[in-house]
Coordinates of all heavy atoms in Angstrom, one line a residue:
I7 N -1.1 17.1 0.6 CA -0.9 18.6 0.3 C -1.7 18.9 -1.1 O -2.4 19.9 -1.1 CB 0.6 18.9 0.1 CG1 1.1 18.8 1.6 CG2 0.7 20.3 -0.4 CD1 2.6 19.1 1.6
P8 N -1.7 18.1 -2.1 CA -2.4 18.4 -3.3 C -3.9 18.4 -3.1 O -4.7 19.3 -3.6 CB -2.0 17.3 -4.3 CG -0.8 16.7 -3.8 CD -0.8 17.0 -2.4
L9 N -4.4 17.6 -2.2 CA -5.9 17.6 -1.9 C -6.3 18.8 -1.2 O -7.3 19.4 -1.5 CB -6.3 16.3 -1.1 CG -6.2 15.0 -1.8 CD1 -6.4 13.9 -0.7 CD2 -7.1 14.9 -2.9
I10 N -5.5 19.3 -0.2 CA -5.7 20.5 0.6 C -5.7 21.7 -0.4 O -6.5 22.5 -0.3 CB -4.7 20.6 1.8 CG1 -5.0 19.5 2.8 CG2 -4.8 22.0 2.4 CD1 -3.9 19.4 3.8
L11 N -4.6 21.8 -1.2 CA -4.5 22.8 -2.2 C -5.7 22.9 -3.2 O -6.2 24.0 -3.5 CB -3.2 22.8 -3.0 CG -2.0 23.1 -2.1 CD1 -0.7 23.0 -2.9 CD2 -2.0 24.4 -1.4
T12 N -6.2 21.8 -3.6 CA -7.3 21.7 -4.5 C -8.6 22.2 -3.7 O -9.4 22.9 -4.3 CB -7.5 20.2 -5.0 OG1 -6.4 19.7 -5.6 CG2 -8.8 20.1 -5.9
A13 N -8.8 21.8 -2.5 CA -9.9 22.3 -1.7 C -9.9 23.8 -1.6 O -10.9 24.5 -1.8 CB -10.0 21.6 -0.4
I14 N -8.8 24.4 -1.3 CA -8.6 25.8 -1.1 C -8.9 26.6 -2.3 O -9.5 27.6 -2.5 CB -7.3 26.2 -0.4 CG1 -7.2 25.6 1.0 CG2 -7.0 27.7 -0.5 CD1 -5.8 25.8 1.7
G15 N -8.3 26.0 -3.5 CA -8.4 26.6 -4.8 C -10.0 26.5 -5.2 O -10.5 27.5 -5.8
S16 N -10.6 25.4 -4.9 CA -12.0 25.4 -5.3 C -12.9 26.4 -4.6 O -13.8 27.0 -5.2 CB -12.5 24.0 -5.0 OG -11.9 23.0 -5.7
V17 N -12.6 26.5 -3.2 CA -13.4 27.5 -2.5 C -13.1 28.9 -3.0 O -14.1 29.7 -3.2 CB -13.0 27.4 -1.0 CG1 -13.6 28.5 -0.2 CG2 -13.6 26.0 -0.5
A18 N -11.9 29.2 -3.2 CA -11.5 30.6 -3.7 C -12.1 30.8 -5.1 O -12.6 31.9 -5.4 CB -10.0 30.8 -3.8
G19 N -12.1 29.8 -5.9 CA -12.6 29.9 -7.3 C -14.1 30.2 -7.3 O -14.7 30.9 -8.0
T20 N -14.8 29.5 -6.4 CA -16.2 29.6 -6.2 C -16.6 31.0 -5.7 O -17.5 31.6 -6.2 CB -16.8 28.6 -5.3 OG1 -16.5 27.2 -5.7 CG2 -18.3 28.7 -5.0
I21 N -15.9 31.5 -4.7 CA -16.2 32.8 -4.2 C -15.8 33.8 -5.3 O -16.6 34.8 -5.5 CB -15.3 33.2 -3.1 CG1 -15.8 32.3 -1.8 CG2 -15.2 34.7 -2.7 CD1 -14.9 32.3 -0.6
A22 N -14.8 33.7 -6.2 CA -14.5 34.6 -7.2 C -15.6 34.6 -8.3 O -16.1 35.7 -8.7 CB -13.2 34.3 -7.8
V23 N -16.1 33.5 -8.6 CA -17.2 33.5 -9.7 C -18.4 34.0 -9.1 O -19.1 34.8 -9.8 CB -17.4 32.0 -10.1 CG1 -18.6 31.8 -11.0 CG2 -16.2 31.4 -11.0
L24 N -18.8 33.7 -7.9 CA -20.1 34.3 -7.3 C -19.9 35.8 -7.2 O -20.9 36.6 -7.4 CB -20.3 33.7 -5.9 CG -20.8 32.2 -5.9 CD1 -20.8 31.7 -4.5 CD2 -22.1 32.1 -6.5
G25 N -18.8 36.3 -6.9 CA -18.6 37.8 -6.8 C -18.7 38.4 -8.1 O -19.2 39.5 -8.3
Y26 N -18.1 37.8 -9.1 CA -18.1 38.3 -10.5 C -19.6 38.5 -11.0 O -19.9 39.4 -11.7 CB -17.3 37.4 -11.5 CG -17.3 37.9 -12.8 CD1 -16.5 39.0 -13.2 CD2 -18.1 37.2 -13.8 CE1 -16.5 39.4 -14.6 CE2 -18.0 37.7 -15.1 CZ -17.2 38.7 -15.5 OH -17.2 39.2 -16.8
Y27 N -20.4 37.5 -10.8 CA -21.8 37.5 -11.3 C -22.7 38.2 -10.3 O -23.9 38.3 -10.6 CB -22.3 36.1 -11.6 CG -21.6 35.4 -12.8 CD1 -20.6 34.5 -12.7 CD2 -22.0 35.9 -14.0 CE1 -20.1 34.0 -13.9 CE2 -21.5 35.4 -15.2 CZ -20.5 34.4 -15.1 OH -19.9 33.9 -16.2
G28 N -22.2 38.8 -9.2 CA -23.1 39.6 -8.4 C -23.9 39.0 -7.5 O -24.9 39.5 -6.8
Y29 N -23.6 37.7 -7.1 CA -24.3 36.9 -6.1 C -23.8 37.2 -4.7 O -24.5 36.8 -3.7 CB -24.3 35.4 -6.4 CG -25.1 35.0 -7.6 CD1 -24.5 34.7 -8.8 CD2 -26.5 35.0 -7.6 CE1 -25.2 34.4 -9.9 CE2 -27.3 34.7 -8.6 CZ -26.6 34.4 -9.9 OH -27.4 34.1 -11.0
L30 N -22.7 37.8 -4.4 CA -22.2 38.2 -3.2 C -22.5 39.6 -2.9 O -22.2 40.5 -3.8 CB -20.7 37.9 -3.1 CG -20.3 36.4 -3.1 CD1 -18.8 36.3 -2.9 CD2 -20.9 35.6 -2.0
H31 N -22.9 39.9 -1.7 CA -23.1 41.3 -1.3 C -22.7 41.5 0.1 O -23.1 40.8 1.1 CB -24.6 41.8 -1.4 CG -24.9 43.1 -0.9 ND1 -24.4 44.2 -1.6 CD2 -25.4 43.5 0.2 CE1 -24.8 45.3 -0.9 NE2 -25.4 44.9 0.2
F32 N -21.7 42.3 0.3 CA -21.3 42.6 1.6 C -21.9 43.8 2.1 O -21.7 45.0 1.6 CB -19.7 42.9 1.7 CG -19.0 41.6 1.1 CD1 -18.5 41.5 -0.1 CD2 -18.9 40.5 2.0 CE1 -17.8 40.4 -0.6 CE2 -18.2 39.4 1.6 CZ -17.7 39.3 0.3
A33 N -22.8 43.8 3.2 CA -23.6 44.9 3.7 C -22.7 45.9 4.4 O -21.8 45.4 5.2 CB -24.7 44.4 4.5
K34 N -22.9 47.1 4.2 CA -22.2 48.1 4.9 C -23.2 48.7 6.0 O -24.5 48.8 5.7 CB -21.8 49.2 4.0 CG -20.9 48.7 2.9 CD -20.6 49.7 1.9 CE -19.9 49.1 0.7 NZ -20.2 49.8 -0.6
P35 N -22.8 49.3 7.0 CA -23.6 50.0 8.0 C -24.6 51.1 7.4 O -25.6 51.3 7.8 CB -22.7 50.6 9.0 CG -21.4 49.8 8.9 CD -21.3 49.4 7.4
E36 N -24.0 51.8 6.4 CA -24.9 52.8 5.8 C -25.9 52.2 4.8 O -26.7 53.0 4.3 CB -24.0 53.8 5.0 CG -23.2 53.2 3.9 CD -21.8 52.9 4.3 OE1 -21.5 52.8 5.5 OE2 -21.0 52.7 3.4
D37 N -26.0 50.9 4.6 CA -27.0 50.3 3.7 C -28.4 50.1 4.5 O -29.3 49.8 3.9 CB -26.6 48.9 3.2 CG -25.4 49.1 2.2 OD1 -25.2 50.1 1.6 OD2 -24.8 48.1 1.9
A38 N -28.3 50.4 5.7 CA -29.6 50.1 6.5 C -30.0 51.4 7.4 O -29.1 52.1 7.8 CB -29.4 49.0 7.5
L39 N -31.3 51.5 7.5 CA -31.8 52.6 8.4 C -32.5 51.9 9.6 O -33.2 50.9 9.3 CB -32.8 53.5 7.6 CG -32.3 54.2 6.5 CD1 -33.4 55.0 5.7 CD2 -31.3 55.3 6.9
L40 N -32.2 52.3 10.8 CA -32.8 51.7 11.9 C -34.2 52.2 12.1 O -34.4 53.3 12.0 CB -31.9 52.0 13.1 CG -30.5 51.4 13.1 CD1 -29.7 51.9 14.3 CD2 -30.5 49.9 13.0
L41 N -35.0 51.3 12.6 CA -36.4 51.7 12.9 C -36.5 52.7 14.0 O -37.4 53.5 14.1 CB -37.3 50.4 13.2 CG -38.7 50.7 13.5 CD1 -39.4 51.2 12.3 CD2 -39.4 49.4 13.9
S42 N -35.5 52.6 15.0 CA -35.4 53.5 16.1 C -35.2 54.9 15.7 O -35.4 55.8 16.6 CB -34.4 53.0 17.1 OG -33.1 53.1 16.5
D43 N -34.8 55.2 14.5 CA -34.7 56.6 14.0 C -36.0 57.2 13.7 O -36.1 58.4 13.4 CB -33.8 56.6 12.7 CG -32.4 56.2 13.0 OD1 -32.0 56.3 14.1 OD2 -31.8 55.8 12.0
Y44 N -37.1 56.5 13.8 CA -38.4 57.0 13.5 C -39.3 56.9 14.7 O -39.3 56.1 15.5 CB -39.1 56.2 12.3 CG -38.2 56.2 11.0 CD1 -37.4 55.3 10.7 CD2 -38.4 57.4 10.2 CE1 -36.5 55.4 9.5 CE2 -37.6 57.5 9.1 CZ -36.7 56.5 8.8 OH -35.9 56.6 7.6
T45 N -40.2 58.0 14.8 CA -41.2 58.1 15.9 C -42.5 58.5 15.3 O -42.5 59.4 14.4 CB -40.7 59.1 17.0 OG1 -39.3 58.7 17.4 CG2 -41.6 59.1 18.1
M46 N -43.5 57.9 15.8 CA -44.8 58.4 15.4 C -45.4 59.5 16.3 O -45.3 59.3 17.5 CB -45.8 57.1 15.4 CG -47.2 57.6 14.9 SD -48.3 56.2 14.7 CE -48.8 56.1 16.4
L47 N -45.8 60.6 15.7 CA -46.4 61.6 16.5 C -47.9 61.4 16.4 O -48.5 61.6 15.3 CB -46.0 62.9 15.9 CG -44.5 63.4 15.9 CD1 -44.3 64.7 15.3 CD2 -44.1 63.5 17.5
K48 N -48.5 61.1 17.6 CA -49.9 61.0 17.5 C -50.7 62.4 17.6 O -50.2 63.2 18.4 CB -50.4 60.2 18.9 CG -51.8 59.9 18.8 CD -52.1 59.1 20.2 CE -53.6 58.8 20.2 NZ -53.9 58.1 21.4
T49 N -51.6 62.5 16.7 CA -52.2 63.7 16.6 C -53.5 63.7 17.4 O -54.3 62.8 17.3 CB -52.6 64.2 15.2 OG1 -53.3 63.2 14.5 CG2 -51.3 64.4 14.4
V50 N -53.8 64.7 18.2 CA -55.0 64.8 19.0 C -55.6 66.0 18.7 O -55.0 67.1 18.7 CB -54.6 64.7 20.5 CG1 -55.8 64.8 21.4 CG2 -53.8 63.5 20.9
P51 N -57.0 65.9 18.4 CA -57.7 67.2 18.1 C -57.6 68.2 19.1 O -57.8 67.9 20.4 CB -59.1 66.8 17.9 CG -59.0 65.3 17.6 CD -57.8 64.8 18.4
G52 N -57.2 69.4 18.8 CA -57.2 70.5 19.7 C -55.8 70.7 20.4 O -55.6 71.8 21.0
E53 N -54.8 69.8 20.1 CA -53.5 70.0 20.6 C -52.6 70.3 19.6 O -52.6 69.8 18.4 CB -53.1 68.6 21.3 CG -53.7 68.4 22.7 CD -53.1 67.2 23.4 OE1 -52.0 66.9 23.2 OE2 -53.8 66.7 24.2
D54 N -51.6 71.1 19.8 CA -50.5 71.5 18.9 C -49.3 70.6 19.1 O -49.1 70.1 20.1 CB -50.1 73.0 19.1 CG -51.2 74.0 18.8 OD1 -52.1 73.6 18.0 OD2 -51.2 75.1 19.3
Y55 N -48.7 70.4 17.9 CA -47.4 69.7 18.0 C -46.4 70.4 17.1 O -46.8 71.0 16.1 CB -47.5 68.2 17.6 CG -48.0 67.9 16.3 CD1 -47.3 67.7 15.2 CD2 -49.5 67.9 16.0 CE1 -47.8 67.5 14.0 CE2 -50.0 67.7 14.8 CZ -49.2 67.4 13.7 OH -49.7 67.1 12.5
K56 N -45.1 70.2 17.3 CA -44.1 70.9 16.5 C -43.3 69.9 15.7 O -42.9 68.8 16.2 CB -43.2 71.7 17.5 CG -43.9 72.9 18.1 CD -43.0 73.6 19.0 CE -43.7 74.7 19.8 NZ -42.8 75.4 20.6
V57 N -43.0 70.2 14.5 CA -42.1 69.3 13.7 C -41.1 70.4 13.0 O -41.3 71.6 12.9 CB -42.9 68.6 12.6 CG1 -43.8 67.6 13.2 CG2 -43.6 69.5 11.7
S58 N -40.0 69.8 12.7 CA -39.0 70.6 12.0 C -39.4 71.0 10.6 O -40.1 70.3 10.0 CB -37.6 69.8 11.8 OG -36.6 70.4 11.2
L59 N -39.0 72.3 10.3 CA -39.2 72.7 8.9 C -38.4 72.1 7.8 O -38.7 71.9 6.7 CB -39.0 74.2 8.8 CG -40.1 75.0 9.7 CD1 -39.7 76.6 9.5 CD2 -41.4 74.8 9.2
K60 N -37.2 71.5 8.3 CA -36.2 70.8 7.4 C -36.8 69.4 7.1 O -37.1 68.7 8.0 CB -34.9 70.8 7.9 CG -33.9 70.1 7.1 CD -32.5 70.0 7.7 CE -31.6 69.2 6.9 NZ -30.4 68.6 7.6
P61 N -37.0 69.1 5.8 CA -37.5 67.7 5.5 C -36.5 66.5 5.8 O -35.3 66.8 5.8 CB -37.9 67.8 4.0 CG -36.9 68.8 3.5 CD -36.7 69.8 4.6
A62 N -36.9 65.4 6.0 CA -36.1 64.2 6.2 C -35.4 63.8 4.9 O -35.7 64.3 3.9 CB -37.0 63.0 6.8
D63 N -34.4 63.0 5.1 CA -33.6 62.5 3.9 C -34.3 61.4 3.2 O -33.7 60.8 2.3 CB -32.2 62.1 4.4 CG -31.4 63.3 4.9 OD1 -31.6 64.4 4.4 OD2 -30.5 63.0 5.8
Q64 N -35.5 60.9 3.7 CA -36.2 59.9 3.0 C -37.6 60.4 2.5 O -38.1 61.3 3.1 CB -36.4 58.7 4.0 CG -35.2 58.0 4.5 CD -34.4 58.8 5.6 OE1 -35.1 59.5 6.3 NE2 -33.2 58.7 5.6
V65 N -38.0 59.7 1.4 CA -39.4 60.0 0.9 C -40.1 58.7 0.9 O -39.5 57.7 0.5 CB -39.1 60.6 -0.6 CG1 -40.5 60.7 -1.2 CG2 -38.3 61.8 -0.6
A66 N -41.3 58.7 1.2 CA -42.1 57.5 1.3 C -43.1 57.5 0.1 O -43.6 58.5 -0.3 CB -42.9 57.4 2.6
H67 N -43.3 56.3 -0.3 CA -44.2 56.0 -1.4 C -45.1 54.8 -1.0 O -44.6 53.9 -0.4 CB -43.6 55.7 -2.8 CG -42.9 56.9 -3.4 ND1 -43.5 58.0 -4.0 CD2 -41.6 57.2 -3.4 CE1 -42.7 58.9 -4.3 NE2 -41.5 58.5 -4.1
C68 N -46.4 54.7 -1.5 CA -47.2 53.6 -1.2 C -47.1 52.7 -2.5 O -47.6 53.1 -3.5 CB -48.6 54.1 -1.0 SG -49.8 52.9 -0.5
I69 N -46.5 51.6 -2.3 CA -46.4 50.6 -3.5 C -47.0 49.3 -2.9 O -46.6 48.7 -2.0 CB -44.9 50.4 -3.8 CG1 -44.3 51.7 -4.2 CG2 -44.8 49.4 -4.9 CD1 -42.7 51.7 -4.5
D70 N -48.0 48.9 -3.8 CA -48.7 47.7 -3.5 C -49.3 47.6 -2.1 O -49.2 46.6 -1.4 CB -47.9 46.4 -3.8 CG -47.6 46.3 -5.3 OD1 -48.5 46.8 -6.1 OD2 -46.6 45.7 -5.6
G71 N -49.7 48.7 -1.5 CA -50.3 48.8 -0.2 C -49.2 48.7 1.0 O -49.6 48.5 2.1
V72 N -47.9 48.9 0.7 CA -46.8 48.8 1.7 C -46.1 50.2 1.6 O -45.9 50.6 0.5 CB -45.9 47.6 1.4 CG1 -44.8 47.7 2.4 CG2 -46.7 46.3 1.5
L73 N -45.7 50.7 2.7 CA -45.0 52.0 2.7 C -43.5 51.7 2.5 O -42.9 51.0 3.2 CB -45.2 52.6 4.1 CG -44.8 54.1 4.1 CD1 -45.5 55.0 3.2 CD2 -44.9 54.7 5.5
V74 N -43.0 52.2 1.4 CA -41.6 52.0 1.0 C -40.8 53.3 1.0 O -41.4 54.4 0.6 CB -41.5 51.5 -0.5 CG1 -40.1 51.3 -0.8 CG2 -42.3 50.2 -0.6
L75 N -39.7 53.3 1.8 CA -38.9 54.5 2.0 C -37.8 54.5 0.9 O -37.1 53.6 0.7 CB -38.3 54.6 3.3 CG -39.3 54.8 4.5 CD1 -38.5 54.7 5.8 CD2 -40.0 56.1 4.4
F76 N -37.5 55.7 0.3 CA -36.4 55.9 -0.6 C -35.6 56.9 0.0 O -36.0 58.0 0.3 CB -37.0 56.3 -2.0 CG -37.8 55.3 -2.7 CD1 -39.1 55.3 -2.5 CD2 -37.3 54.4 -3.5 CE1 -40.0 54.4 -3.1 CE2 -38.0 53.5 -4.2 CZ -39.4 53.4 -3.9
D77 N -34.2 56.7 0.1 CA -33.3 57.8 0.6 C -33.0 58.8 -0.5 O -32.7 58.3 -1.7 CB -32.0 57.1 1.0 CG -31.2 58.0 1.9 OD1 -30.6 58.9 1.3 OD2 -31.2 57.8 3.1
V78 N -33.0 60.0 -0.2 CA -32.7 61.1 -1.2 C -31.2 61.2 -1.4 O -30.7 61.5 -2.5 CB -33.3 62.4 -0.6 CG1 -33.0 63.5 -1.6 CG2 -34.8 62.4 -0.4
N79 N -30.4 61.0 -0.4 CA -28.9 61.3 -0.5 C -28.2 60.1 -1.1 O -27.3 60.3 -2.0 CB -28.4 61.5 0.9 CG -28.9 62.8 1.5 OD1 -29.3 63.8 0.7 ND2 -28.9 62.9 2.9
Q80 N -28.7 58.9 -0.8 CA -27.9 57.7 -1.3 C -28.8 57.1 -2.3 O -29.7 56.3 -1.9 CB -27.7 56.7 -0.2 CG -26.6 57.3 0.9 CD -26.3 56.4 1.9 OE1 -26.5 55.2 1.8 NE2 -25.9 56.8 3.1
K81 N -28.7 57.2 -3.6 CA -29.4 56.6 -4.6 C -29.4 55.2 -4.5 O -28.3 54.5 -4.3 CB -29.0 57.1 -6.0 CG -29.1 58.6 -6.2 CD -30.5 59.2 -6.0 CE -30.5 60.6 -6.2 NZ -31.8 61.2 -5.8
G82 N -30.5 54.5 -4.7 CA -30.6 53.0 -4.7 C -30.9 52.4 -3.3 O -31.1 51.2 -3.1
L83 N -30.8 53.3 -2.3 CA -31.0 52.8 -0.9 C -32.6 53.0 -0.6 O -33.1 54.0 -0.6 CB -30.4 53.7 0.1 CG -30.5 53.3 1.6 CD1 -30.1 51.8 1.8 CD2 -29.7 54.2 2.5
T84 N -33.2 51.8 -0.6 CA -34.7 51.8 -0.3 C -35.0 50.7 0.7 O -34.2 49.8 1.0 CB -35.5 51.3 -1.6 OG1 -35.0 50.0 -2.0 CG2 -35.3 52.3 -2.8
G85 N -36.2 50.8 1.3 CA -36.5 49.9 2.3 C -38.0 49.9 2.6 O -38.6 51.0 2.4
V86 N -38.5 48.9 3.1 CA -39.9 48.8 3.6 C -40.0 49.2 5.1 O -39.1 48.7 5.9 CB -40.5 47.5 3.3 CG1 -41.8 47.3 4.0 CG2 -40.4 47.1 1.9
L87 N -40.9 50.1 5.5 CA -41.0 50.5 6.8 C -41.7 49.4 7.6 O -42.8 49.0 7.2 CB -41.7 51.8 6.9 CG -41.8 52.5 8.3 CD1 -40.4 52.8 8.8 CD2 -42.7 53.7 8.4
V88 N -41.1 48.9 8.7 CA -41.7 47.7 9.5 C -41.8 48.2 10.9 O -41.1 49.1 11.4 CB -40.9 46.4 9.3 CG1 -40.9 46.0 8.0 CG2 -39.4 46.7 9.8
D89 N -42.7 47.5 11.6 CA -42.7 47.7 13.1 C -41.7 46.8 13.8 O -40.8 46.2 13.2 CB -44.1 47.5 13.7 CG -44.6 46.1 13.6 OD1 -43.8 45.3 13.1 OD2 -45.7 45.8 13.9

Side-chain angles (χ1 to χ4, degrees):
I7 293 177
L9 294 173
I10 293 171
L11 292 177
T12 301
I14 292 172
S16 297
V17 170
T20 301
I21 291 173
V23 169
L24 289 174
Y26 178 76
Y27 285 107
Y29 289 104
L30 292 181
H31 175 73
F32 299 101
K34 300 173 194 151
E36 60 268 11
D37 288 343
L39 296 174
L40 298 176
L41 182 62
S42 61
D43 292 339
Y44 298 96
T45 302
M46 183 177 79
L47 295 176
K48 183 177 179 182
T49 57
V50 178
E53 288 189 22
D54 293 335
Y55 60 94
K56 296 180 182 179
V57 295
S58 174
L59 294 177
K60 182 182 175 200
D63 292 333
Q64 294 80 30
V65 176
H67 292 282
C68 186
I69 300 176
D70 292 334
V72 177
L73 193 61
V74 179
L75 293 176
F76 296 90
D77 196 288
V78 175
N79 296 334
Q80 298 179 22
K81 299 297 180 195
L83 180 59
T84 61
V86 175
L87 188 63
V88 296
D89 66 1

